[in-house]
Amino acid sequence: MSFDSQMTRCPRPFDGDLGTEAVARMPDLTAPVAELIRGAAGSSPYLNGLIARETTWLSQALDDPDAAVTAEFARIEALPLDEVRDGLRITKRRLALLTALADLAGVWSLEQVTGHLTQLADRSVDVVVKTEIATLIQRGKLPGQSPEDVASAGGLVVLAMGKMGAGELNYS
């Protein structure tokens, strides 16, 4: 099912000119999605900036938002050690944008929105911990451990409680 066929609502732009500029960067949008972009970009400088930075990715992500989320998670889990920081920033930016648009348009339920945000946090913590452990192994700080032992070498546990543990993280 297409993104626009799932839309149940659409924000109105506070600054129509900003919204129109954002839509102009994405000429292949359907009319309902163009109105969503106009409303989001025309009301939120943060989302307007994200739309400007992620125009190409967003055009593809809107074809199948759930697949885009899955692909981003797979991408960050496969990053080389020296690209993790920048890669996580890109994924956070992309998923914040996609989640906000799906939320504003009513495409995703509250549970899906908070679930995706929680999964982002969970995957990010996992990638960062494994990256640090891999770095320690490379530096010889974990004797007897090899790169194949990254998942279990540190003896480290991250326990999520509260909103993260319940799968209810929000935008803040």
Side-chain angles (χ1 to χ4, degrees), residues 94-149:
R94 288 176 174 177
L95 294 188
L97 174 59
L98 184 59
T99 303
L101 292 175
D103 188 10
L104 288 169
V107 171
W108 286 345
S109 68
L110 176 62
E111 292 78 13
Q112 287 173 296
V113 169
T114 58
H116 286 306
L117 294 172
T118 302
Q119 286 177 336
L120 173 59
D122 180 61
R123 299 286 176 96
S124 297
V125 168
D126 184 61
V127 167
V128 167
V129 168
K130 287 178 180 173
T131 299
E132 184 59 25
I133 291 171
T135 302
L136 292 172
I137 289 172
Q138 281 183 346
R139 293 177 49 212
K141 299 293 185 179
L142 296 175
Q145 302 298 313
S146 69
E148 292 78 31
D149 300 317

Side-chain angles (χ1 to χ4, degrees), residues 153-166:
L156 182 64
V157 173
V158 177
L159 180 62
M161 298 174 65
K163 287 185 174 198
M164 186 166 173

Side-chain angles (χ1 to χ4, degrees), residues 38-118:
R38 183 175 288 110
S43 299
S44 169
Y46 177 69
L47 292 179
N48 188 30
L50 293 181
I51 291 166
R53 290 184 79 171
E54 294 296 342
T55 300
T56 303
W57 177 84
L58 181 60
S59 294
Q60 297 168 356
L62 289 172
D63 290 339
D64 189 347
D66 292 314
V69 170
T70 300
E72 279 301 303
F73 290 153
R75 190 182 70 76
I76 63 172
E77 290 170 354
L79 289 170
L81 293 179
D82 61 336
E83 295 178 23
V84 168
R85 284 189 177 125
D86 289 338
L88 285 173
R89 284 186 188 100
I90 291 167
T91 295
K92 178 189 177 281
R93 178 172 73 221
R94 288 176 174 177
L95 294 188
L97 174 59
L98 184 59
T99 303
L101 292 175
D103 188 10
L104 288 169
V107 171
W108 286 345
S109 68
L110 176 62
E111 292 78 13
Q112 287 173 296
V113 169
T114 58
H116 286 306
L117 294 172
T118 302

